[in-house]
mmCIF file of all heavy atoms in Angstrom:
data_model
loop_
_atom_site.group_PDB
_atom_site.id
_atom_site.type_symbol
_atom_site.label_atom_id
_atom_site.label_comp_id
_atom_site.label_asym_id
_atom_site.label_seq_id
_atom_site.Cartn_x
_atom_site.Cartn_y
_atom_site.Cartn_z
ATOM 1 N N LYS A 1249 -123.783 -59.506 -257.057
ATOM 2 C CA LYS A 1249 -124.935 -59.103 -256.365
ATOM 3 C C LYS A 1249 -125.222 -57.563 -256.525
ATOM 4 O O LYS A 1249 -126.341 -57.181 -256.473
ATOM 5 C CB LYS A 1249 -124.823 -59.431 -254.848
ATOM 6 C CG LYS A 1249 -124.614 -60.888 -254.557
ATOM 7 C CD LYS A 1249 -125.860 -61.681 -254.957
ATOM 8 C CE LYS A 1249 -125.648 -63.199 -254.562
ATOM 9 N NZ LYS A 1249 -126.785 -64.002 -254.885
ATOM 10 N N VAL A 1250 -124.137 -56.790 -256.677
ATOM 11 C CA VAL A 1250 -124.336 -55.337 -256.749
ATOM 12 C C VAL A 1250 -124.159 -54.857 -258.219
ATOM 13 O O VAL A 1250 -124.453 -53.678 -258.501
ATOM 14 C CB VAL A 1250 -123.328 -54.637 -255.813
ATOM 15 C CG1 VAL A 1250 -123.638 -53.162 -255.738
ATOM 16 C CG2 VAL A 1250 -123.368 -55.220 -254.407
ATOM 17 N N MET A 1251 -123.725 -55.716 -259.099
ATOM 18 C CA MET A 1251 -123.615 -55.367 -260.506
ATOM 19 C C MET A 1251 -122.495 -54.364 -260.791
ATOM 20 O O MET A 1251 -122.668 -53.553 -261.663
ATOM 21 C CB MET A 1251 -124.903 -54.994 -261.079
ATOM 22 C CG MET A 1251 -126.019 -55.948 -260.925
ATOM 23 S SD MET A 1251 -125.476 -57.631 -261.598
ATOM 24 C CE MET A 1251 -126.727 -58.738 -260.806
ATOM 25 N N VAL A 1252 -121.435 -54.445 -260.014
ATOM 26 C CA VAL A 1252 -120.239 -53.568 -260.327
ATOM 27 C C VAL A 1252 -119.448 -54.309 -261.399
ATOM 28 O O VAL A 1252 -119.149 -55.496 -261.188
ATOM 29 C CB VAL A 1252 -119.420 -53.329 -259.019
ATOM 30 C CG1 VAL A 1252 -118.148 -52.561 -259.406
ATOM 31 C CG2 VAL A 1252 -120.255 -52.558 -258.016
ATOM 32 N N PRO A 1253 -119.014 -53.651 -262.443
ATOM 33 C CA PRO A 1253 -118.205 -54.348 -263.430
ATOM 34 C C PRO A 1253 -116.929 -54.964 -262.862
ATOM 35 O O PRO A 1253 -116.247 -54.272 -262.103
ATOM 36 C CB PRO A 1253 -117.837 -53.192 -264.383
ATOM 37 C CG PRO A 1253 -119.006 -52.215 -264.271
ATOM 38 C CD PRO A 1253 -119.333 -52.279 -262.803
ATOM 39 N N ASN A 1254 -116.690 -56.139 -263.221
ATOM 40 C CA ASN A 1254 -115.488 -56.893 -262.620
ATOM 41 C C ASN A 1254 -114.169 -56.130 -262.816
ATOM 42 O O ASN A 1254 -113.342 -56.093 -261.964
ATOM 43 C CB ASN A 1254 -115.448 -58.242 -263.267
ATOM 44 C CG ASN A 1254 -114.331 -59.136 -262.719
ATOM 45 O OD1 ASN A 1254 -114.412 -59.533 -261.515
ATOM 46 N ND2 ASN A 1254 -113.277 -59.412 -263.453
ATOM 47 N N ASP A 1255 -113.990 -55.491 -264.002
ATOM 48 C CA ASP A 1255 -112.815 -54.810 -264.341
ATOM 49 C C ASP A 1255 -112.589 -53.568 -263.544
ATOM 50 O O ASP A 1255 -111.423 -52.924 -263.471
ATOM 51 C CB ASP A 1255 -112.741 -54.441 -265.806
ATOM 52 C CG ASP A 1255 -112.639 -55.674 -266.714
ATOM 53 O OD1 ASP A 1255 -112.222 -56.722 -266.235
ATOM 54 O OD2 ASP A 1255 -112.991 -55.600 -267.893
ATOM 55 N N ASN A 1256 -113.649 -53.063 -262.869
ATOM 56 C CA ASN A 1256 -113.535 -51.874 -262.033
ATOM 57 C C ASN A 1256 -113.067 -52.116 -260.604
ATOM 58 O O ASN A 1256 -112.961 -51.203 -259.822
ATOM 59 C CB ASN A 1256 -114.870 -51.134 -261.991
ATOM 60 C CG ASN A 1256 -115.122 -50.344 -263.282
ATOM 61 O OD1 ASN A 1256 -114.303 -50.357 -264.176
ATOM 62 N ND2 ASN A 1256 -116.239 -49.699 -263.343
ATOM 63 N N ILE A 1257 -112.844 -53.351 -260.269
ATOM 64 C CA ILE A 1257 -112.556 -53.743 -258.872
ATOM 65 C C ILE A 1257 -111.173 -54.242 -258.804
ATOM 66 O O ILE A 1257 -110.716 -55.193 -259.478
ATOM 67 C CB ILE A 1257 -113.525 -54.864 -258.356
ATOM 68 C CG1 ILE A 1257 -114.977 -54.418 -258.600
ATOM 69 C CG2 ILE A 1257 -113.240 -55.077 -256.911
ATOM 70 C CD1 ILE A 1257 -115.951 -55.533 -258.374
ATOM 71 N N LYS A 1258 -110.362 -53.700 -257.892
ATOM 72 C CA LYS A 1258 -108.954 -54.119 -257.608
ATOM 73 C C LYS A 1258 -108.965 -54.669 -256.169
ATOM 74 O O LYS A 1258 -109.386 -53.991 -255.190
ATOM 75 C CB LYS A 1258 -108.041 -52.897 -257.731
ATOM 76 C CG LYS A 1258 -106.608 -53.234 -257.366
ATOM 77 C CD LYS A 1258 -105.898 -54.128 -258.377
ATOM 78 C CE LYS A 1258 -104.457 -54.325 -258.054
ATOM 79 N NZ LYS A 1258 -103.758 -55.248 -259.066
ATOM 80 N N VAL A 1259 -108.445 -55.946 -256.037
ATOM 81 C CA VAL A 1259 -108.349 -56.584 -254.729
ATOM 82 C C VAL A 1259 -107.066 -56.146 -254.084
ATOM 83 O O VAL A 1259 -105.905 -56.382 -254.569
ATOM 84 C CB VAL A 1259 -108.437 -58.071 -254.850
ATOM 85 C CG1 VAL A 1259 -108.197 -58.704 -253.492
ATOM 86 C CG2 VAL A 1259 -109.801 -58.495 -255.419
ATOM 87 N N VAL A 1260 -107.130 -55.499 -252.890
ATOM 88 C CA VAL A 1260 -105.959 -55.100 -252.116
ATOM 89 C C VAL A 1260 -106.164 -55.634 -250.682
ATOM 90 O O VAL A 1260 -106.879 -55.115 -249.909
ATOM 91 C CB VAL A 1260 -105.787 -53.561 -252.041
ATOM 92 C CG1 VAL A 1260 -104.601 -53.206 -251.252
ATOM 93 C CG2 VAL A 1260 -105.767 -52.963 -253.457
ATOM 94 N N PRO A 1261 -105.561 -56.736 -250.379
ATOM 95 C CA PRO A 1261 -105.719 -57.405 -249.005
ATOM 96 C C PRO A 1261 -105.349 -56.461 -247.890
ATOM 97 O O PRO A 1261 -104.419 -55.583 -248.060
ATOM 98 C CB PRO A 1261 -104.771 -58.632 -249.050
ATOM 99 C CG PRO A 1261 -104.592 -58.844 -250.540
ATOM 100 C CD PRO A 1261 -104.650 -57.563 -251.241
ATOM 101 N N VAL A 1262 -106.005 -56.606 -246.799
ATOM 102 C CA VAL A 1262 -105.728 -55.743 -245.627
ATOM 103 C C VAL A 1262 -104.360 -56.173 -245.007
ATOM 104 O O VAL A 1262 -104.064 -57.302 -244.813
ATOM 105 C CB VAL A 1262 -106.839 -55.937 -244.589
ATOM 106 C CG1 VAL A 1262 -106.499 -55.118 -243.305
ATOM 107 C CG2 VAL A 1262 -108.230 -55.492 -245.083
ATOM 108 N N SER A 1263 -103.512 -55.138 -244.769
ATOM 109 C CA SER A 1263 -102.219 -55.400 -244.236
ATOM 110 C C SER A 1263 -102.315 -55.405 -242.758
ATOM 111 O O SER A 1263 -103.395 -55.228 -242.135
ATOM 112 C CB SER A 1263 -101.157 -54.341 -244.672
ATOM 113 O OG SER A 1263 -101.622 -53.129 -244.231
ATOM 114 N N TYR A 1264 -101.145 -55.714 -242.049
ATOM 115 C CA TYR A 1264 -101.172 -55.677 -240.610
ATOM 116 C C TYR A 1264 -99.975 -54.877 -240.064
ATOM 117 O O TYR A 1264 -98.923 -54.826 -240.791
ATOM 118 C CB TYR A 1264 -101.198 -57.069 -239.962
ATOM 119 C CG TYR A 1264 -99.770 -57.677 -239.753
ATOM 120 C CD1 TYR A 1264 -99.265 -57.745 -238.499
ATOM 121 C CD2 TYR A 1264 -99.009 -58.145 -240.833
ATOM 122 C CE1 TYR A 1264 -97.987 -58.283 -238.277
ATOM 123 C CE2 TYR A 1264 -97.805 -58.744 -240.615
ATOM 124 C CZ TYR A 1264 -97.312 -58.802 -239.358
ATOM 125 O OH TYR A 1264 -96.005 -59.337 -239.182
ATOM 126 N N ASN A 1265 -100.182 -54.195 -239.017
ATOM 127 C CA ASN A 1265 -99.119 -53.411 -238.393
ATOM 128 C C ASN A 1265 -98.575 -54.164 -237.211
ATOM 129 O O ASN A 1265 -99.223 -54.464 -236.238
ATOM 130 C CB ASN A 1265 -99.765 -52.060 -237.853
ATOM 131 C CG ASN A 1265 -98.709 -51.123 -237.289
ATOM 132 O OD1 ASN A 1265 -97.931 -51.528 -236.408
ATOM 133 N ND2 ASN A 1265 -98.701 -49.889 -237.839
ATOM 134 N N LYS A 1266 -97.281 -54.633 -237.385
ATOM 135 C CA LYS A 1266 -96.697 -55.479 -236.459
ATOM 136 C C LYS A 1266 -96.617 -54.896 -234.993
ATOM 137 O O LYS A 1266 -97.052 -55.563 -234.057
ATOM 138 C CB LYS A 1266 -95.261 -55.832 -236.945
ATOM 139 C CG LYS A 1266 -94.486 -56.793 -235.953
ATOM 140 C CD LYS A 1266 -93.136 -57.076 -236.569
ATOM 141 C CE LYS A 1266 -92.358 -57.975 -235.674
ATOM 142 N NZ LYS A 1266 -90.985 -58.232 -236.214
ATOM 143 N N GLU A 1267 -96.251 -53.704 -234.905
ATOM 144 C CA GLU A 1267 -96.090 -53.022 -233.590
ATOM 145 C C GLU A 1267 -97.459 -52.893 -232.932
ATOM 146 O O GLU A 1267 -97.588 -53.094 -231.731
ATOM 147 C CB GLU A 1267 -95.494 -51.654 -233.701
ATOM 148 C CG GLU A 1267 -93.918 -51.700 -234.064
ATOM 149 C CD GLU A 1267 -93.669 -52.105 -235.480
ATOM 150 O OE1 GLU A 1267 -94.576 -51.932 -236.302
ATOM 151 O OE2 GLU A 1267 -92.522 -52.547 -235.768
ATOM 152 N N LYS A 1268 -98.443 -52.459 -233.731
ATOM 153 C CA LYS A 1268 -99.791 -52.319 -233.173
ATOM 154 C C LYS A 1268 -100.386 -53.630 -232.780
ATOM 155 O O LYS A 1268 -101.077 -53.686 -231.655
ATOM 156 C CB LYS A 1268 -100.733 -51.663 -234.279
ATOM 157 C CG LYS A 1268 -102.047 -51.227 -233.749
ATOM 158 C CD LYS A 1268 -102.825 -50.461 -234.769
ATOM 159 C CE LYS A 1268 -104.159 -50.007 -234.348
ATOM 160 N NZ LYS A 1268 -104.907 -49.236 -235.330
ATOM 161 N N MET A 1269 -100.121 -54.684 -233.561
ATOM 162 C CA MET A 1269 -100.648 -56.037 -233.209
ATOM 163 C C MET A 1269 -100.027 -56.470 -231.882
ATOM 164 O O MET A 1269 -100.742 -57.091 -231.003
ATOM 165 C CB MET A 1269 -100.437 -56.991 -234.303
ATOM 166 C CG MET A 1269 -101.129 -58.266 -234.190
ATOM 167 S SD MET A 1269 -101.037 -59.270 -235.772
ATOM 168 C CE MET A 1269 -102.262 -60.518 -235.478
ATOM 169 N N ILE A 1270 -98.728 -56.374 -231.693
ATOM 170 C CA ILE A 1270 -98.031 -56.822 -230.510
ATOM 171 C C ILE A 1270 -98.572 -56.049 -229.269
ATOM 172 O O ILE A 1270 -98.886 -56.685 -228.280
ATOM 173 C CB ILE A 1270 -96.497 -56.615 -230.633
ATOM 174 C CG1 ILE A 1270 -95.928 -57.562 -231.650
ATOM 175 C CG2 ILE A 1270 -95.807 -56.832 -229.247
ATOM 176 C CD1 ILE A 1270 -94.489 -57.432 -231.936
ATOM 177 N N SER A 1271 -98.753 -54.749 -229.371
ATOM 178 C CA SER A 1271 -99.213 -53.921 -228.258
ATOM 179 C C SER A 1271 -100.647 -54.366 -227.894
ATOM 180 O O SER A 1271 -100.967 -54.369 -226.708
ATOM 181 C CB SER A 1271 -99.166 -52.443 -228.612
ATOM 182 O OG SER A 1271 -100.047 -52.131 -229.649
ATOM 183 N N THR A 1272 -101.469 -54.673 -228.880
ATOM 184 C CA THR A 1272 -102.850 -55.112 -228.602
ATOM 185 C C THR A 1272 -102.925 -56.381 -227.930
ATOM 186 O O THR A 1272 -103.660 -56.580 -226.944
ATOM 187 C CB THR A 1272 -103.610 -55.154 -229.940
ATOM 188 O OG1 THR A 1272 -103.652 -53.889 -230.542
ATOM 189 C CG2 THR A 1272 -105.074 -55.573 -229.697
ATOM 190 N N ILE A 1273 -102.088 -57.382 -228.365
ATOM 191 C CA ILE A 1273 -102.056 -58.707 -227.761
ATOM 192 C C ILE A 1273 -101.557 -58.546 -226.285
ATOM 193 O O ILE A 1273 -102.186 -59.152 -225.424
ATOM 194 C CB ILE A 1273 -101.094 -59.640 -228.532
ATOM 195 C CG1 ILE A 1273 -101.775 -59.923 -229.901
ATOM 196 C CG2 ILE A 1273 -100.950 -60.950 -227.743
ATOM 197 C CD1 ILE A 1273 -100.785 -60.674 -230.841
ATOM 198 N N VAL A 1274 -100.601 -57.859 -226.071
ATOM 199 C CA VAL A 1274 -100.032 -57.652 -224.722
ATOM 200 C C VAL A 1274 -100.968 -56.934 -223.798
ATOM 201 O O VAL A 1274 -101.213 -57.348 -222.673
ATOM 202 C CB VAL A 1274 -98.614 -56.900 -224.767
ATOM 203 C CG1 VAL A 1274 -98.117 -56.534 -223.376
ATOM 204 C CG2 VAL A 1274 -97.609 -57.661 -225.522
ATOM 205 N N ARG A 1275 -101.607 -55.912 -224.340
ATOM 206 C CA ARG A 1275 -102.594 -55.218 -223.495
ATOM 207 C C ARG A 1275 -103.755 -55.995 -223.085
ATOM 208 O O ARG A 1275 -104.334 -55.858 -221.996
ATOM 209 C CB ARG A 1275 -103.067 -53.942 -224.296
ATOM 210 C CG ARG A 1275 -103.964 -52.993 -223.482
ATOM 211 C CD ARG A 1275 -104.305 -51.748 -224.277
ATOM 212 N NE ARG A 1275 -105.121 -52.043 -225.468
ATOM 213 C CZ ARG A 1275 -104.690 -51.866 -226.700
ATOM 214 N NH1 ARG A 1275 -103.396 -51.507 -226.893
ATOM 215 N NH2 ARG A 1275 -105.411 -52.186 -227.745
ATOM 216 N N ASN A 1276 -104.162 -56.902 -223.906
ATOM 217 C CA ASN A 1276 -105.333 -57.728 -223.633
ATOM 218 C C ASN A 1276 -105.034 -59.000 -222.844
ATOM 219 O O ASN A 1276 -105.990 -59.810 -222.627
ATOM 220 C CB ASN A 1276 -106.062 -58.162 -224.956
ATOM 221 C CG ASN A 1276 -106.710 -56.928 -225.629
ATOM 222 O OD1 ASN A 1276 -107.050 -55.929 -224.986
ATOM 223 N ND2 ASN A 1276 -106.875 -57.006 -226.910
ATOM 224 N N ASN A 1277 -103.751 -59.205 -222.481
ATOM 225 C CA ASN A 1277 -103.409 -60.377 -221.706
ATOM 226 C C ASN A 1277 -102.457 -59.954 -220.614
ATOM 227 O O ASN A 1277 -101.245 -59.875 -220.771
ATOM 228 C CB ASN A 1277 -102.747 -61.471 -222.649
ATOM 229 C CG ASN A 1277 -102.411 -62.660 -221.846
ATOM 230 O OD1 ASN A 1277 -102.967 -62.916 -220.753
ATOM 231 N ND2 ASN A 1277 -101.495 -63.502 -222.419
ATOM 232 N N LYS A 1278 -102.993 -59.648 -219.445
ATOM 233 C CA LYS A 1278 -102.219 -59.110 -218.305
ATOM 234 C C LYS A 1278 -101.876 -60.187 -217.211
ATOM 235 O O LYS A 1278 -101.206 -59.952 -216.322
ATOM 236 C CB LYS A 1278 -102.948 -57.981 -217.635
ATOM 237 C CG LYS A 1278 -103.236 -56.825 -218.551
ATOM 238 C CD LYS A 1278 -104.024 -55.730 -217.874
ATOM 239 C CE LYS A 1278 -104.273 -54.561 -218.870
ATOM 240 N NZ LYS A 1278 -105.073 -53.529 -218.189
ATOM 241 N N LYS A 1279 -102.388 -61.443 -217.549
ATOM 242 C CA LYS A 1279 -102.229 -62.544 -216.496
ATOM 243 C C LYS A 1279 -100.832 -63.196 -216.561
ATOM 244 O O LYS A 1279 -100.193 -63.424 -215.601
ATOM 245 C CB LYS A 1279 -103.276 -63.583 -216.719
ATOM 246 C CG LYS A 1279 -104.664 -63.068 -216.423
ATOM 247 C CD LYS A 1279 -105.734 -64.206 -216.542
ATOM 248 C CE LYS A 1279 -107.146 -63.687 -216.268
ATOM 249 N NZ LYS A 1279 -108.150 -64.737 -216.412
ATOM 250 N N ASN A 1280 -100.309 -63.476 -217.816
ATOM 251 C CA ASN A 1280 -98.993 -64.125 -217.957
ATOM 252 C C ASN A 1280 -98.452 -63.783 -219.249
ATOM 253 O O ASN A 1280 -98.973 -62.966 -220.051
ATOM 254 C CB ASN A 1280 -99.170 -65.688 -217.818
ATOM 255 C CG ASN A 1280 -100.226 -66.204 -218.759
ATOM 256 O OD1 ASN A 1280 -100.153 -65.957 -219.913
ATOM 257 N ND2 ASN A 1280 -101.252 -66.829 -218.166
ATOM 258 N N ASN A 1281 -97.301 -64.399 -219.541
ATOM 259 C CA ASN A 1281 -96.593 -64.137 -220.843
ATOM 260 C C ASN A 1281 -96.908 -65.068 -221.908
ATOM 261 O O ASN A 1281 -96.262 -65.052 -222.983
ATOM 262 C CB ASN A 1281 -95.102 -64.082 -220.574
ATOM 263 C CG ASN A 1281 -94.588 -62.979 -219.621
ATOM 264 O OD1 ASN A 1281 -95.221 -61.893 -219.758
ATOM 265 N ND2 ASN A 1281 -93.712 -63.216 -218.801
ATOM 266 N N THR A 1282 -97.896 -65.950 -221.774
ATOM 267 C CA THR A 1282 -98.328 -66.843 -222.783
ATOM 268 C C THR A 1282 -99.528 -66.173 -223.534
ATOM 269 O O THR A 1282 -100.471 -65.737 -222.916
ATOM 270 C CB THR A 1282 -98.747 -68.192 -222.236
ATOM 271 O OG1 THR A 1282 -97.697 -68.756 -221.475
ATOM 272 C CG2 THR A 1282 -99.220 -69.125 -223.311
ATOM 273 N N TYR A 1283 -99.434 -66.160 -224.906
ATOM 274 C CA TYR A 1283 -100.441 -65.492 -225.648
ATOM 275 C C TYR A 1283 -101.055 -66.495 -226.631
ATOM 276 O O TYR A 1283 -100.445 -67.033 -227.552
ATOM 277 C CB TYR A 1283 -99.853 -64.326 -226.465
ATOM 278 C CG TYR A 1283 -99.006 -63.418 -225.584
ATOM 279 C CD1 TYR A 1283 -97.662 -63.491 -225.468
ATOM 280 C CD2 TYR A 1283 -99.716 -62.464 -224.826
ATOM 281 C CE1 TYR A 1283 -96.896 -62.627 -224.669
ATOM 282 C CE2 TYR A 1283 -99.018 -61.600 -223.996
ATOM 283 C CZ TYR A 1283 -97.658 -61.690 -223.942
ATOM 284 O OH TYR A 1283 -96.893 -60.805 -223.110
ATOM 285 N N ASN A 1284 -102.396 -66.833 -226.483
ATOM 286 C CA ASN A 1284 -103.102 -67.742 -227.238
ATOM 287 C C ASN A 1284 -104.061 -67.067 -228.176
ATOM 288 O O ASN A 1284 -104.872 -66.253 -227.706
ATOM 289 C CB ASN A 1284 -103.787 -68.723 -226.345
ATOM 290 C CG ASN A 1284 -102.918 -69.606 -225.514
ATOM 291 O OD1 ASN A 1284 -101.965 -70.132 -226.033
ATOM 292 N ND2 ASN A 1284 -103.178 -69.669 -224.231
ATOM 293 N N ILE A 1285 -103.969 -67.343 -229.468
ATOM 294 C CA ILE A 1285 -104.847 -66.788 -230.444
ATOM 295 C C ILE A 1285 -105.705 -67.919 -231.038
ATOM 296 O O ILE A 1285 -105.199 -68.935 -231.481
ATOM 297 C CB ILE A 1285 -104.050 -66.147 -231.630
ATOM 298 C CG1 ILE A 1285 -103.202 -64.939 -231.061
ATOM 299 C CG2 ILE A 1285 -105.021 -65.634 -232.680
ATOM 300 C CD1 ILE A 1285 -102.345 -64.299 -232.122
ATOM 301 N N LEU A 1286 -106.999 -67.738 -231.024
ATOM 302 C CA LEU A 1286 -108.026 -68.706 -231.540
ATOM 303 C C LEU A 1286 -108.633 -68.127 -232.840
ATOM 304 O O LEU A 1286 -109.142 -67.059 -232.808
ATOM 305 C CB LEU A 1286 -109.087 -69.051 -230.538
ATOM 306 C CG LEU A 1286 -110.154 -69.996 -230.969
ATOM 307 C CD1 LEU A 1286 -109.614 -71.356 -231.337
ATOM 308 C CD2 LEU A 1286 -111.251 -70.092 -229.903
ATOM 309 N N SER A 1287 -108.584 -68.861 -233.933
ATOM 310 C CA SER A 1287 -109.258 -68.464 -235.153
ATOM 311 C C SER A 1287 -110.148 -69.626 -235.652
ATOM 312 O O SER A 1287 -109.673 -70.757 -235.789
ATOM 313 C CB SER A 1287 -108.190 -68.126 -236.212
ATOM 314 O OG SER A 1287 -108.804 -67.662 -237.415
ATOM 315 N N VAL A 1288 -111.377 -69.393 -235.873
ATOM 316 C CA VAL A 1288 -112.350 -70.346 -236.219
ATOM 317 C C VAL A 1288 -112.981 -70.032 -237.619
ATOM 318 O O VAL A 1288 -113.373 -68.815 -237.803
ATOM 319 C CB VAL A 1288 -113.469 -70.432 -235.182
ATOM 320 C CG1 VAL A 1288 -114.528 -71.553 -235.512
ATOM 321 C CG2 VAL A 1288 -112.838 -70.758 -233.860
#
């Protein structure tokens, strides 16, 4: 769609920070110790 040459593009998947992810999940769930993640 943008006409960027294919050879000029390198795919680097987004990584995740384990400590940051745990702190975010815990911070957003203050009711109990069960953590439910929904992905659609």
Side-chain angles (χ1 to χ4, degrees):
K1249 301 294 184 180
V1250 189
M1251 303 306 164
V1252 174
N1254 184 68
D1255 293 340
N1256 280 1
I1257 308 170
K1258 177 70 174 179
V1259 175
V1260 181
V1262 178
S1263 61
Y1264 89 105
N1265 184 306
K1266 182 178 178 181
E1267 289 73 22
K1268 188 174 182 179
M1269 193 168 189
I1270 290 176
S1271 64
T1272 300
I1273 294 171
V1274 173
R1275 185 175 63 250
N1276 292 334
N1277 183 17
K1278 300 178 180 179
K1279 294 182 179 180
N1280 51 58
N1281 292 324
T1282 302
Y1283 307 100
N1284 296 312
I1285 298 176
L1286 175 64
S1287 186
V1288 181

